[in-house]
Amino acid sequence: MKRVLREAHAHIFQLGRSLSMLELGGCGSAEQMLDAIADRAKTLGEDEWLLAQGARPQGWDNPSWPGRAQLDQAGGGRPVVAWCFDYHAMVASSSALTHARIDASTTIESGVVELDEAGEPSGLLLEHAALRMWNSVPEPDDAQRRELVLAACRHLIGLGFSEVHDLKAQPWLGTVLSELLAAGEIDMRFELFPLVPDLKASIEAQRAGFDERVRIAGGKCFVDGTLNSRTAWMLHPYADGRPEHPSGVAMMTTKQIDNALLACKEHGLPLASHAIGDAAVRAVLDAIERNGCERTRCRIEHAELIDAADLRRFVELGVIASLQPCHLLADMEALRRAVPDRLDRVLPIRSLLKSGLAPGVDLLFGSDVPIVRADAEDSIQAAIHRRRAGMSESESINPGEAIDEETAWACFAPGSES
Ligand SMILES: [Zn+2]
């Protein structure tokens, strides 16, 4: 029997973009990477950008990135940017660097422009320097956008999803999805959560006419950072935190969370808050209580750590827990280093269900694709085994919070109300 699934946390346009990029994960050397780039370049228009991702030089016998001159040659002089698999580094060709106005004299806070022996950029960019480059890549035009969104939807349909929630929906996304639905190119349901500042424009677009299978379902905000950068906001310091923010980073003040809630409420909509650390989760629950937003179907996205004192508050305040258990598979080592004393607080799925949340109704599973792949099997594996396939039971993270397979699939079941 083929299951019908809901992906409760996706980024549709970014997925389409990442599907369209040259994948370098299979390359075992700089030479192979350059060959792959040269092959792709042949399929592109003269000045068309060549975007690639997934390179893993760390796994090569010679772990050096190809240089800028090699990229220029392989790419036929066109702008080329190629991400490392972890999105913290990239290499860029000469014309790409020129386009981004990055040269030997460029300094970028929290970023590195590596120089070669001649004192010129080698092509390798780290952290914020890589981001500067990426942000200067031209945005796809309307026709390309439509194709990227369509490719993403087809990819998700192929994985069994009939309903998708986009948790940072661009104001134009609902219109493009509606066109694809009306043209009969796809048939699925969408709930869109634009960033709170984009809500107004998104609702105006909806008023202009969406397909009945698309709706603006709430606003989105970011209350903290991420676990891997130790910026998820925790109640207790990390075991290996950064001196400048030992317990992570609160990216919003109490007042700002209140305002985000109220801005959504004004439109009769709930707020979906990115909150990974237990302090961020508590701050959101507090705000929902303080502002009388109980039972408005506000959502907390991620909630990787939840303090015991806050467990019952989800059901008491009518808050939806939108979880991505699949991240546990990638984060196991990071969690052991970061919160070794509080692994029992990591993704307490069983306790949340026991407190009264119903799978597929107010406890939802998703993936955060394209940060990780959207395959539901990954979250099922994490939810029932709490470890990667092939690992021994003793390596599981917080195994007391494991749930059975049927319940795990139920967290992917599309809602009856939609
Ligand atoms: Zn996300």
Side-chain angles (χ1 to χ4, degrees):
M1 183 193 80
K2 207 164 163 13
R3 295 173 192 273
V4 180
L5 305 173
R6 166 179 50 207
E7 161 61 80
H9 190 124
H11 301 282
I12 296 169
F13 176 58
Q14 288 86 337
L15 169 60
R17 225 169 169 193
S18 105
L19 290 171
S20 76
M21 285 163 70
L22 171 65
E23 177 56 46
L24 299 170
C27 299
S29 65
E31 290 71 36
Q32 285 180 18
M33 175 173 158
L34 290 165
D35 285 347
I37 288 172
D39 283 346
R40 173 61 72 102
K42 286 181 204 140
T43 70
L44 299 175
E46 205 179 324
D47 293 319
E48 207 175 326
W49 284 66
L50 192 157
L51 308 177
Q53 63 183 359
R56 285 185 179 266
Q58 297 87 338
W60 302 344
D61 287 339
N62 172 6
S64 345
W65 287 94
R68 179 166 56 92
Q70 292 170 293
L71 285 177
D72 292 349
Q73 200 187 9
R78 66 166 44 70
V80 177
V81 301
W83 278 108
C84 182
F85 77 99
D86 68 2
Y87 297 103
H88 287 267
M90 68 159 52
V91 282
S93 69
S94 299
S95 54
L97 291 168
T98 305
H99 177 85
R101 300 211 181 109
I102 295 175
D103 61 28
S105 65
T106 306
T107 54
I108 295 166
E109 201 182 326
S110 309
V112 175
V113 179
E114 191 191 66
L115 301 180
D116 60 19
E117 283 152 15
E120 290 300 318
S122 70
L124 182 63
L125 306 168
L126 304 180
E127 302 292 350
H128 283 202
L131 278 183
R132 152 102 70 108
M133 180 69 248
W134 183 245
N135 289 336
S136 83
V137 175
E139 281 284 314
D141 62 28
D142 287 355
Q144 289 167 331
R145 236 181 215 178
R146 186 181 193 280
E147 285 311 304
L148 294 173
V149 169
L150 177 59
C153 292
R154 288 194 168 143
H155 177 81
L156 292 166
I157 290 169
L159 290 171
F161 295 106
S162 65
E163 179 180 335
V164 178
H165 298 182
D166 191 302
L167 269 296
K168 198 175 145 187
Q170 299 80 358
W172 51 262
L173 183 62
T175 308
V176 170
L177 290 170
S178 295
E179 284 167 13
L180 292 171
L181 287 163
E185 301 209 54
I186 50 171
D187 180 16
M188 52 199 317
R189 294 196 165 270
F190 298 94
E191 297 208 348
L192 308 183
F193 296 79
L195 291 173
V196 171
D198 288 340
L199 254 187
K200 229 182 180 149
S202 305
I203 288 169
E204 269 161 33
Q206 178 166 259
R207 278 206 196 104
F210 275 3
D211 186 278
E212 56 168 20
R213 288 162 284 184
V214 189
R215 70 181 187 101
I216 304 296
K220 171 82 189 286
C221 69
F222 287 82
V223 178
D224 66 349
T226 66
L227 188 74
N228 278 294
S229 61
R230 305 295 186 264
T231 49
W233 180 23
M234 300 289 182
L235 291 168
H236 303 280
Y238 289 98
D240 61 348
R242 307 253 155 96
E244 63 277 21
H245 47 75
S247 302
V249 177
M251 287 175 45
M252 294 173 78
T253 62
T254 307
K255 183 101 193 95
Q256 286 170 326
I257 303 173
D258 288 350
N259 288 342
L261 270 169
L262 296 174
C264 291
K265 204 176 178 183
E266 214 171 281
H267 298 288
L269 291 171
L271 177 67
S273 307
H274 165 117
I276 291 181
D278 48 8
V281 169
R282 178 170 294 173
V284 174
L285 292 168
D286 288 349
I288 289 168
E289 195 170 1
R290 188 169 54 239
N291 290 286
C293 293
E294 298 97 334
R295 319 258 140 239
T296 59
R297 300 196 61 73
C298 280
R299 301 171 39 144
I300 296 184
E301 305 298 318
H302 313 307
E304 269 199 59
L305 265 75
I306 304 175
D307 191 75
D310 294 320
L311 267 176
R312 288 201 56 81
R313 299 180 73 202
F314 281 80
V315 77
E316 284 165 5
L317 299 170
V319 173
I320 294 172
S322 164
L323 309 180
Q324 299 79 39
C326 51
H327 287 255
L328 188 74
L329 307 178
D331 288 351
M332 291 178 73
E333 289 75 16
L335 284 162
R336 282 216 175 78
R337 285 194 299 270
V339 289
D341 49 330
R342 287 184 301 133
L343 290 176
D344 64 331
R345 304 292 4 126
V346 173
L347 286 177
I349 301 172
R350 191 189 177 88
S351 299
L352 286 170
L353 291 169
K354 232 170 96 189
S355 77
L357 293 188
V361 178
D362 33 32
L363 200 158
L364 315 181
F365 281 177
S367 69
D368 207 1
V369 68
I371 304 293
V372 298
R373 58 182 200 159
D375 203 323
E377 297 278 355
D378 292 347
S379 278
I380 299 298
Q381 162 77 26
I384 66 182
H385 298 297
R386 312 283 303 191
R387 63 181 185 275
R388 296 195 281 271
M391 283 183 152
S392 73
E393 235 179 295
S394 62
E395 292 174 87
S396 306
I397 301 270
N398 200 7
E401 293 290 348
I403 58 173
D404 66 74
E405 184 172 348
E406 265 324 293
T407 311
W409 282 113
C411 296
F412 274 114
S416 49
E417 85 269 42
S418 51

